[in-house]
Amino acid sequence: MSTTATGPGPRWLGGAAQLAVAGVLALVVLPVGWTSVVEGEVARPWRWALLAALVALHLAVATARRWPVASFAVGALAELVLVTAPDLGGPTATAAGSEYAPVLLPSSLCFFVLLYAVSAHAARPWPTAALVGGLVGCLLTVVRLWGFAGTALESWTWWLMLSTATVGGTVAAWALGRFRATRAAWIAQLAEQGAADERRRIAREMHDVVAHSLAVVVSQAEAGRLVVAQSPDRAPGILATIAGTGREALTEMRGLLGVLRDDEAPTDPQPGLADLPALVERMRTAGLTVEYDAPDLATEVPAVPPGVGLTAYRVVQEALTNVARHARPDAVVRVVVDRPADALQVVVTDHGGAPAVAAAPGRGLTGMRERVEAVGGTLETGPVASGWRVSARMPV
């Protein structure tokens, strides 16, 4: 479905600029045309028709931004009157050395403004139709001025100049309008793409926070139901884990909602590599057996960009959450963090016989891949001999 192209900035500003253009044209060229028609020694009906055509042209320029198609139609009819009207005489014709067709009046320049407006602001197919109409008008103008003798130029020079001016002006006005419409559509597409990217980013963050936290809470709640009856002394630890996980999820959710509301209040920093040990420990507390193989992130790992650190954290978080949700209770997960010279690699492998992932990946895997690709990395996921493997490599 085609829509009217709109440019950046307030709509009223474009309308005011259009009125300014119409006012300047009316002040500069309308008095000349008006005087030429009044003194042109033509029949009274043609005089009134020509004066009405001149006024209609300038009024159409004033309304071209708001109603481009209707304004162009009015301007085209006015130009048709100027083309078909008889030659003008009077003082202006005497000064020019010959009677001349009214289409040579300077107000005819308004047609190019109208053509630009319809090609810039009207929906398809009107820009193309306006171009065709403009080229037909060029042909009529050339035919109408065939016998004009008010120039000292050779006939072929005059026809070449006239054809070039009319066709070139028509095509240039139309092309400028299409360029503006294309630019406006491109800017709108960029804005829409940016908004869509931001929505996907927020959706990934919310999925990671909610899915991970709920997986831990559900795991602890199920364990508590089975264990507390036999070992009441473990109840405080299980409840503390549930409460701590819930508080952490609420904190991260407040940060995300603060971004959505554009709050100026500071939010907690996003997690990174330094938070991986705490994440692993929290999953161990939830009952998952996790082997963690990583250098000392505080002293042995060179600093990585915050975006890469956050991505690595979310990849590990999502992978561990998937294991907690899908693998058998006796699953053993191995998390390996490696830091080559030019990259950061994170590998999470479970050895718990997790079921194969469906052919269509869920939101977790999709979000994981989008995160990694957003920082220029690659993600590989797939089954291994005894479970599932997630490997992310990100340049730093």
Side-chain angles (χ1 to χ4, degrees), residues 49-93:
L50 288 173
L51 292 177
L54 294 178
V55 173
L57 272 173
H58 289 277
L59 289 178
V61 172
T63 60
R65 170 85 179 197
R66 187 173 181 86
W67 300 295
V69 176
S71 299
F72 179 82
V74 170
L77 289 175
E79 285 291 331
L80 185 61
V81 172
L82 297 181
V83 169
T84 57
D87 289 347
L88 296 174
T92 306

Side-chain angles (χ1 to χ4, degrees), residues 189-200:
Q189 184 178 4
L190 286 180
E192 183 178 351
Q193 181 179 353
D197 291 342
E198 185 63 13
R199 287 195 299 269
R200 284 193 293 269

Side-chain angles (χ1 to χ4, degrees), residues 12-22:
W12 65 266
L13 184 60
Q18 189 69 31
L19 290 176
V21 170

Side-chain angles (χ1 to χ4, degrees), residues 28-353:
V28 173
V29 302
L30 182 57
V32 177
W34 189 277
T35 303
S36 299
V37 171
V38 171
E39 300 176 351
E41 299 179 354
V42 292
R44 184 180 298 272
W46 275 114
R47 178 180 302 170
W48 287 113
L50 288 173
L51 292 177
L54 294 178
V55 173
L57 272 173
H58 289 277
L59 289 178
V61 172
T63 60
R65 170 85 179 197
R66 187 173 181 86
W67 300 295
V69 176
S71 299
F72 179 82
V74 170
L77 289 175
E79 285 291 331
L80 185 61
V81 172
L82 297 181
V83 169
T84 57
D87 289 347
L88 296 174
T92 306
T94 302
S98 172
E99 293 186 349
Y100 58 93
V103 73
L104 289 176
L105 293 174
S107 291
S108 291
L109 295 174
C110 294
F111 180 79
F112 298 125
V113 179
L114 299 175
L115 180 58
Y116 167 84
V118 75
S119 64
H121 304 298
R124 294 179 179 178
W126 294 114
T128 302
L131 176 61
V132 173
L135 293 177
V136 172
C138 292
L139 177 61
L140 294 177
T141 301
V142 172
V143 172
R144 176 67 178 82
L145 297 176
W146 191 267
F148 179 65
T151 175
L153 299 174
E154 295 288 340
S155 58
W156 69 269
T157 305
W158 162 247
W159 296 122
L160 178 62
M161 184 183 71
L162 178 63
S163 303
T164 302
T166 54
V167 176
T170 298
V171 174
W174 181 85
L176 284 175
R178 295 315 300 158
F179 170 77
R180 187 193 184 283
T182 302
R183 178 178 176 272
W186 179 65
I187 292 175
Q189 184 178 4
L190 286 180
E192 183 178 351
Q193 181 179 353
D197 291 342
E198 185 63 13
R199 287 195 299 269
R200 284 193 293 269
R201 185 191 70 81
I202 294 173
R204 288 195 300 266
E205 293 287 346
M206 295 186 70
H207 173 273
D208 291 343
V209 172
V210 174
H212 170 74
S213 301
L214 286 180
V216 174
V217 169
V218 170
S219 176
Q220 289 292 291
E222 291 180 346
R225 184 182 59 184
L226 299 175
V227 173
V228 171
Q230 301 177 357
S231 303
D233 56 310
R234 296 182 57 183
I238 293 176
L239 294 177
T241 301
I242 294 175
T245 302
R247 281 193 296 269
E248 181 181 352
L250 286 175
T251 300
E252 295 197 48
M253 289 295 292
R254 288 193 189 100
L256 290 174
L257 294 176
V259 172
L260 289 174
R261 293 193 302 264
D262 197 22
D263 286 348
E264 296 182 359
T267 58
D268 291 340
Q270 293 285 355
L273 285 181
D275 299 289
L276 282 178
L279 172 64
V280 170
E281 188 60 32
R282 188 161 59 249
M283 296 304 294
R284 287 171 177 168
T285 304
L288 189 64
T289 303
V290 183
E291 297 177 355
Y292 185 56
D293 183 5
D296 189 341
L297 299 177
T299 60
E300 300 180 25
V301 174
V304 299
V308 174
L310 173 62
T311 300
Y313 180 91
R314 294 303 191 196
V315 167
V316 175
Q317 184 184 52
E318 177 65 22
L320 293 179
T321 301
N322 286 340
V323 174
R325 293 171 57 188
H326 300 298
R328 294 197 302 263
D330 59 347
V332 178
V333 190
R334 181 176 177 82
V335 178
V336 178
V337 179
D338 192 13
R339 178 65 164 85
D342 59 346
L344 176 69
Q345 182 153 357
V346 176
V347 180
V348 181
T349 308
D350 78 84
H351 303 281

